Amino acid sequence: MEERLDARFLKKLGSFRLDVALTLGEEIGVIFGPSGAGKSQTLRVLAGLSKPDEGYIKLNGRTLADASKKISLPPKERRIGLVFQELSLFPHLTALENVAYGLKCSDRLEVAMEWLHMVRLDELSDRYPHQLSGGQRQRVALARALAPGPDLLLLDEPFNALDGPVRRALRRELKGLFNETKTPIIYVTHDIEDVCSMADRVFFIRDGELVTSIPVQSLWDPSVQGSTWHSLGWGTLIHGVIEERNGLYWIVWDGGRLALRPPVKVEGDVTAFVAPHHVKLLYPDLPVDPELEDNVVEGVVAERVVLGGTTRLFVRACNLQWQVEFLNGSYATMELSEGQRVRMAVKPGCIYILRSVPNPCTIDPCTETQFERERKVPFSARRERRNGI
Amino acid sequence: MISSLILSLKVLAVDVPLLLVIGTSLGWLLARRNFRGKEALNLLIFLPVVLPPSVLGLYLLMLFGRLPFMRELGLLFSFPAAAIAPLFPSLPIMVQSARSGFASVDVGLEEAARTLGDGELAVFWRVSFPIAKRFLMAGLALASARALGDFGVTLMIAGNIPGRTQTLPLYIYSRVEALDLAGANMAAILLTGVGVMSLLLVRRMEGAHGGAS
């Protein structure tokens, strides 16, 4: 595939070092890694809001930045759209005016209206951002970033604050917009589901170092799993064997077992991944959700790390070191200091088998699919309708 | 009194645009830029708040009367002096409001505008200024009222010359000195009215912003 973006740069921020090497064709790339790994900062450097100390950034053959030649184009000349984590919609402008903001043509309001139509917000064009719901604001932000026709679209965990169904719908929408505009997209996330459902290519970032990238299909390739997932140093990896007992599928390892959500189409030795935020702590005196009953493990808190807004626990249980992540303030009534015994559980559907599962991305373990069915018009149909006008 | 009223209005006509431009620029500079001497500039702008008007007036007398170039301008005890004098005590009010206003504008919004193709000037006019506008208008109302009512600094560098530098506050002083309390009262009511109006305006700005309850 033709290379659109080629970036290699180094950025020092105090003691933090951001070392990035990435190339992207006409595809959706996802930067995947834990909080604080430098994901957002990478996007800021690409967009020109922050200057690299060394290296270069090239987009469609244009040099956007080259530290050795002291070139650094300002953001306005880069033609890179950025959807911020906090969206940053202009509060003094309506949805329509927000979308029209980056348009310079004489019929900018008409063009903006078309974009609003594309994200299904025609009716709400004269609303101000505070009068819109979370999902609607996301759509306005997307349309605003895409309207000027950028050469590259960057998204910084834009759907983070949204719950499952809306999030899934927006992911679909984004993919639809990509198919329509063919604008390469880089999407930053720490959610394995985002990677699975959106990306063509995954970039792994850890402690400021982004060097590995693999096509998403080979994410499940046995040859990749060891090195890549280990280098991420995030989440819990389980090496075990798939077994079928009493009609249920289990991953069994030396020290414990967890139930998997059927259908399980692999057998034998596998490696499974559990993201830290999918491990839920259980209150000692409350009944356990029947869905989780088979997957309760008990262990001892080995370490407690507070990172920005989240807390990460390292828990030793069943011969493994588990990572558990939750928002600061959750489980406030529980004693979670080091050495404390805790019970936790993993939903069967949140255990990702990292071994050549046929078409793994169609599995949607953690969210409902009902919302999907409720979507009235598929994106392609909307496009035809628009072209028909 | 009419000539004093006209003179005061003339002073306002000069000072309001100056307050808006200088106050907004300085407020933006203090809120958004880091540079050498920022602390010193900050101190200099806000010094008039804590200095007695007579001290401030004395310094200005020395500045305008002693410095060779300034002396040639012959500003002292003329209309230009009466117009410039109220700027010093009222500018800090405007700068403070403007600084709070610009500081309240989310940096992320300005960055968003940049990624959407705006240069720095466009970012200011399309994002920072409109969002900070309420703060600016509230600051301008307060600062203008302060400028209209300036007494000490005006007296020190412009004097109390009827028809030339005698603004309304000085007129009141002269009337009281001449024991013409009725005349003083007329002007005082006028100034009080303006003061109350400007406060109401500020309240409205704050109220519309969802601010002070």
Side-chain angles (χ1 to χ4, degrees):
Chain A
M1 190 177 283
E2 196 194 343
E3 197 171 89
R4 302 285 284 270
L5 173 71
D6 178 17
R8 279 195 80 90
F9 59 81
L10 193 77
K11 169 86 189 165
K12 294 188 195 100
L13 296 148
S15 61
F16 186 75
R17 234 173 95 101
L18 186 65
D19 188 353
V20 171
L22 59 83
T23 56
L24 190 74
E26 195 176 276
E27 54 190 341
I28 300 183
V30 166
I31 301 180
F32 181 63
S35 325
K39 300 191 295 284
S40 301
Q41 201 57 44
T42 303
L43 296 194
R44 290 181 61 83
V45 174
L46 289 175
L49 296 171
S50 182
K51 277 185 199 172
D53 296 316
E54 284 171 35
Y56 61 86
I57 301 167
K58 284 183 189 146
L59 181 60
N60 294 346
R62 281 192 307 146
T63 300
L64 301 185
D66 192 336
S68 64
K69 292 177 192 153
K70 299 230 182 308
I71 300 173
S72 180
L73 292 187
K76 66 167 179 167
E77 288 166 29
R78 295 201 175 196
R79 295 213 302 270
I80 293 181
L82 176 56
V83 178
F84 294 77
Q85 196 166 355
E86 50 285 344
L87 301 182
S88 299
L89 293 179
F90 303 119
H92 60 298
L93 301 178
T94 62
L96 182 68
E97 290 163 339
N98 262 286
V99 176
Y101 192 96
L103 295 166
K104 307 283 182 230
C105 46
S106 57
D107 56 346
R108 49 195 287 275
L109 288 180
E110 285 84 50
V111 176
M113 200 63 216
E114 248 179 79
W115 276 100
L116 276 181
H117 177 74
M118 251 201 272
V119 294
R120 294 181 294 134
L121 287 174
D122 328 49
E123 318 274 296
L124 305 175
S125 62
D126 54 351
R127 296 266 185 101
Y128 286 90
H130 69 271
Q131 297 168 319
L132 297 170
S133 74
Q136 290 164 346
R137 279 205 289 270
Q138 306 279 0
R139 290 201 176 92
V140 175
L142 261 181
R144 184 181 71 175
L146 279 168
D151 295 339
L152 172 69
L153 179 65
L154 307 174
L155 298 122
D156 190 357
E157 306 209 26
F159 306 149
N160 220 12
L162 299 174
D163 56 4
V166 182
R167 202 183 160 108
R168 279 185 53 76
L170 276 169
R171 274 201 297 242
R172 281 290 178 85
E173 200 139 321
L174 186 63
K175 196 125 195 191
L177 287 171
F178 169 74
N179 289 333
E180 186 144 333
T181 60
K182 293 291 172 209
T183 306
I185 293 176
I186 294 182
Y187 185 105
V188 149
T189 188
H190 65 266
D191 187 347
I192 182 79
E193 228 188 296
D194 282 340
V195 177
C196 199
S197 58
M198 300 233 317
D200 298 311
R201 176 168 290 280
V202 191
F203 301 93
F204 289 94
I205 188 164
R206 186 195 177 188
D207 299 333
E209 203 174 336
L210 191 161
V211 282
T212 330
S213 108
I214 55 169
V216 78
Q217 308 92 288
S218 49
L219 193 59
W220 316 93
D221 190 327
S223 61
V224 184
Q225 43 181 271
S227 55
T228 317
W229 293 93
H230 268 302
S231 73
L232 197 57
W234 181 72
T236 309
L237 284 178
I238 306 168
H239 304 284
V241 185
I242 300 288
E243 283 182 18
E244 191 192 343
R245 275 184 222 165
N246 320 326
L248 285 175
Y249 287 91
W250 305 82
I251 176 168
V252 182
W253 71 100
D254 180 20
R257 63 173 196 182
L258 289 173
L260 302 172
R261 195 169 96 148
V264 177
K265 291 176 182 162
V266 282
E267 346 178 309
D269 293 336
V270 292
T271 301
F273 175 81
V274 180
H277 52 274
H278 284 152
V279 184
K280 303 292 176 206
L281 294 175
L282 300 175
Y283 288 94
D285 39 4
L286 288 180
V288 180
D289 185 338
E291 194 195 357
L292 300 175
E293 257 171 5
D294 291 326
N295 284 358
V296 175
V297 290
E298 200 168 322
V300 176
V301 178
E303 199 184 345
R304 180 193 172 113
V305 187
V306 179
L307 309 141
T310 59
T311 302
R312 189 180 301 165
L313 296 182
F314 295 85
V315 181
R316 260 197 295 275
C318 304
N319 233 351
L320 285 173
Q321 171 119 297
W322 297 78
Q323 288 187 19
V324 186
E325 209 170 83
F326 51 86
L327 290 178
N328 289 343
S330 311
Y331 307 113
T333 57
M334 274 170 86
E335 178 72 38
L336 291 172
S337 53
E338 281 148 31
Q340 193 71 32
R341 288 200 77 78
V342 289
R343 286 200 310 154
M344 52 202 190
V346 190
K347 265 194 195 177
C350 293
I351 303 163
Y352 294 84
I353 306 294
L354 299 182
R355 180 130 198 190
S356 44
V357 183
N359 213 0
C361 288
T362 54
I363 300 171
D364 169 40
C366 297
T367 48
E368 300 297 321
T369 51
Q370 188 192 356
F371 194 82
E372 293 291 297
R373 290 197 290 275
E374 285 173 4
R375 280 169 58 85
K376 290 168 200 126
V377 196
F379 201 89
S380 52
R382 290 206 304 281
R383 183 188 182 183
E384 281 153 22
R385 196 176 69 205
R386 190 172 66 97
N387 291 347
I389 290 171
Chain B
M1 185 178 101
I2 296 302
S3 68
S4 292
L5 178 63
I6 290 170
L7 197 67
S8 273
L9 290 177
K10 275 190 189 166
V11 168
L12 272 190
V14 175
D15 285 0
V16 171
L18 283 178
L19 278 172
L20 185 63
V21 173
I22 302 173
T24 303
S25 319
L26 288 174
W28 182 85
L29 213 59
L30 292 177
R32 277 289 185 261
R33 285 285 181 269
N34 283 316
F35 49 91
R36 277 175 70 119
K38 183 172 170 176
E39 270 313 302
L41 177 68
N42 194 36
L43 195 78
L44 202 67
I45 294 170
F46 288 94
L47 203 56
V49 177
V50 291
L51 283 186
S54 53
V55 175
L56 187 60
L58 181 69
Y59 288 152
L60 289 174
L61 261 185
M62 284 153 69
L63 182 73
F64 290 127
R66 291 262 180 86
L67 284 184
F69 173 70
M70 293 286 193
R71 199 170 49 201
E72 315 307 317
L73 285 176
L75 289 175
L76 294 175
F77 305 105
S78 62
F79 175 75
I84 292 168
L87 278 180
F88 293 93
S90 56
L91 193 62
I93 301 173
M94 182 64 203
V95 173
Q96 182 59 43
S97 288
R99 181 164 69 174
S100 313
F102 289 121
S104 77
V105 179
D106 180 3
V107 182
L109 295 177
E110 296 174 343
E111 289 185 335
R114 284 184 199 117
T115 63
L116 289 165
D118 272 357
E120 292 308 304
L121 207 61
V123 170
F124 179 84
W125 284 114
R126 298 180 72 192
V127 176
S128 321
F129 185 80
I131 296 176
K133 203 163 87 184
R134 291 187 188 288
F135 284 86
L136 298 177
M137 292 304 123
L140 189 63
L142 281 180
S144 305
R146 175 68 184 82
L148 180 67
D150 183 65
F151 178 80
V153 184
T154 308
L155 183 65
M156 289 293 284
I157 70 168
N160 185 3
I161 310 163
R164 274 184 70 195
T165 65
Q166 192 185 63
T167 53
L168 271 183
L170 290 162
Y171 171 81
I172 294 172
Y173 177 73
S174 302
R175 287 296 91 202
V176 172
E177 222 177 23
L179 295 177
D180 173 16
L181 288 185
N185 251 327
M186 283 283 286
I189 287 168
L190 202 67
L191 282 180
T192 308
V194 172
V196 170
M197 292 253 292
S198 74
L199 280 179
L200 284 177
L201 191 68
V202 170
R203 287 293 294 176
R204 243 188 68 187
M205 294 284 175
E206 283 173 347
H209 196 255
S213 52

